[in-house]
Amino acid sequence: YLLEGCYGDTQASRLIRNLDGKNKDEEAKRQAYAELSKYIASHDKIFRRLRSRMEDAIEIALKRVRWNFRTAIPCYFPKGNCMSLMLPLCLEDDSKTDAALVVQKNPSGSYQGQTVLRLEQAYLDARLICRPNMDWLNNEI
């Protein structure tokens, strides 16, 4: 998703590839993400491209939920003592789910995105509440 959003920018591509270091400790990864974040924030074209793709992915997720409400999978956040819903995010390809968007209901009745989870983490969180047998979230991740 990031590489696609930053195509044509060699500095951004280098920073993204730098994130993939498997031997990095947590602090080094945190610094690499901070550096990439700062770079993207300072380059409007890249920022708008990434934001637009994220908005498109959210719109697709909402359409899927409107078509079948069971697409939204419940999860529980013990620290906040609240229930949330996970929606499928298709960032690279509209037919393949890449991540889960966790949304929480506001007192006004609207929903607000809280975080994005890798599919493995989303599956583990969903198993605490129900058996996730949706096509986008299964144990074959």
Side-chain angles (χ1 to χ4, degrees), residues 57-77:
I58 291 170
E59 186 59 38
I60 290 169
L62 293 175
K63 285 180 182 179
R64 287 177 70 177
V65 170
R66 281 188 215 110
W67 182 69
N68 180 1
F69 72 94
R70 291 181 186 220
T71 301
I73 298 175
C75 63
Y76 178 68
F77 181 54

Side-chain angles (χ1 to χ4, degrees), residues 38 93 114 136:
K38 187 176 178 181
D93 179 4
Q114 298 297 315
W136 72 270

Side-chain angles (χ1 to χ4, degrees), residues 30-73:
R30 191 172 291 115
Q31 287 176 346
Y33 275 107
E35 187 177 353
L36 176 63
S37 175
K38 187 176 178 181
Y39 185 83
I40 289 172
S42 67
H43 290 77
D44 290 337
K45 184 177 179 181
I46 295 172
F47 179 79
R48 285 192 312 268
R49 195 180 306 151
L50 291 171
R51 183 183 63 198
S52 177
R53 184 61 194 132
M54 180 63 77
E55 288 171 352
D56 290 347
I58 291 170
E59 186 59 38
I60 290 169
L62 293 175
K63 285 180 182 179
R64 287 177 70 177
V65 170
R66 281 188 215 110
W67 182 69
N68 180 1
F69 72 94
R70 291 181 186 220
T71 301
I73 298 175

Side-chain angles (χ1 to χ4, degrees), residues 83-126:
M83 293 292 294
S84 299
L85 294 172
M86 292 185 288
L87 308 179
L89 277 183
C90 303
L91 298 169
E92 291 184 40
D93 179 4
D94 290 347
S95 62
K96 180 182 172 280
T97 303
D98 301 304
L101 173 66
V102 179
V103 296
Q104 187 174 354
K105 192 172 186 176
N106 293 326
S108 66
S110 64
Y111 285 85
Q112 181 176 0
Q114 298 297 315
T115 190
V116 176
L117 299 175
R118 293 183 341 263
L119 291 178
E120 297 84 7
Q121 183 62 44
Y123 180 78
L124 293 174
D125 289 357

